[in-house]
Amino acid sequence: MASDMVEIRWHARGGQGSKTAATLLAYVALAEGKYGQGFPDYGPEREGAPMRAYTRISSQPIRTHSAVYTPDIVVVLDPTLLDSVKVTDGIKDDGVLVVNTSDSPAEIRKKTGLTTGKVYCVNATEISIKEIGRNIPNTPMMGALLKASPLVKLETVKHDVEKKLKSKGDRVIQGNYRAIDRAYEEVQVG
């Protein structure tokens, strides 16, 4: 395993865009000359069912092709999963937990039992509804993630979001830009 590799595990419900975010982040890493890997982990899940996705980013080729068991970063797109899924399983002692929630980092620490690392919280649901017009928290969560760990440049993410959403029109693209920027600025750390 590459010594600088960062492994991210995404927890969400089907339809919230975690697969898209995980793979988009990997593509952004590639666009910046790094190595990236992004993929979902699901079987017969349907919209609304809990699911996971993974991203790996490194300056060296990635030879690991499995789920992420000891993540550096865990991103939770649906806060209701905190009550039913042990999202912090395997997280490294200096790991980062990024949660879509209106709760404070201290409240999330208490809820998850996480005593090490850093916790970042942002209300990505509210941001996505306000800026995009729909409850799809993946792009604001990418903004929060990049504030927590600047793995890639914010501008490169926006460029790839624009390419992915080109067919949806300028209004959707601009809404996603605003959602990314707001989450980047509004995320709380504790």
Side-chain angles (χ1 to χ4, degrees):
M1 181 163 70
S3 62
D4 72 337
M5 183 162 54
V6 175
E7 294 184 302
I8 304 166
R9 187 173 64 217
W10 303 75
H11 290 272
R13 293 190 183 277
Q16 291 183 311
S18 64
K19 173 187 169 189
T20 300
T23 56
L24 181 73
L25 191 58
Y27 285 125
V28 169
L30 294 171
E32 290 188 358
K34 300 175 185 175
Y35 293 88
Q37 185 184 84
F39 56 97
D41 178 11
Y42 52 64
E45 282 86 348
R46 65 198 181 289
E47 187 168 323
M51 59 91 57
R52 290 180 305 260
Y54 310 103
T55 307
R56 289 187 176 95
I57 297 175
S58 178
S59 65
Q60 301 169 20
I62 299 170
R63 307 216 187 285
T64 305
H65 300 285
S66 64
V68 172
Y69 300 106
T70 54
D72 299 285
I73 302 169
V74 173
V75 181
V76 181
L77 275 69
D78 190 317
T80 65
L81 293 173
L82 297 175
D83 298 324
S84 60
V85 176
K86 185 80 169 127
V87 298
T88 58
D89 270 355
I91 193 169
K92 295 180 179 169
D93 285 343
D94 61 347
V96 171
L97 176 63
V98 185
V99 182
N100 170 16
T101 182
S102 59
D103 291 345
S104 71
E107 291 170 306
I108 294 302
R109 280 191 183 281
K110 187 176 180 182
K111 191 177 279 191
T112 62
L114 191 64
T115 58
T116 61
K118 291 189 176 179
V119 175
Y120 290 79
C121 297
V122 67
N123 194 337
T125 296
E126 180 180 280
I127 291 170
S128 69
I129 290 169
K130 175 94 172 156
E131 302 300 342
I132 304 168
R134 295 178 59 201
N135 182 10
I136 302 179
N138 63 341
T139 51
M141 288 302 286
M142 289 180 72
L145 168 61
L146 293 181
K147 182 70 167 212
S149 182
L151 302 165
V152 293
K153 295 178 187 133
L154 199 58
E155 290 308 314
T156 312
V157 169
K158 287 181 179 180
H159 178 72
D160 272 37
V161 164
E162 180 179 355
K163 285 191 325 190
K164 181 155 185 62
L165 298 176
K166 192 175 187 176
S167 67
K168 305 279 185 194
D170 193 54
R171 188 178 65 72
V172 172
I173 292 168
Q174 293 304 316
N176 276 276
Y177 284 175
R178 288 190 307 273
I180 291 167
D181 287 339
R182 273 192 62 188
Y184 185 88
E185 295 301 325
E186 294 177 20
V187 69
Q188 299 175 356
V189 63

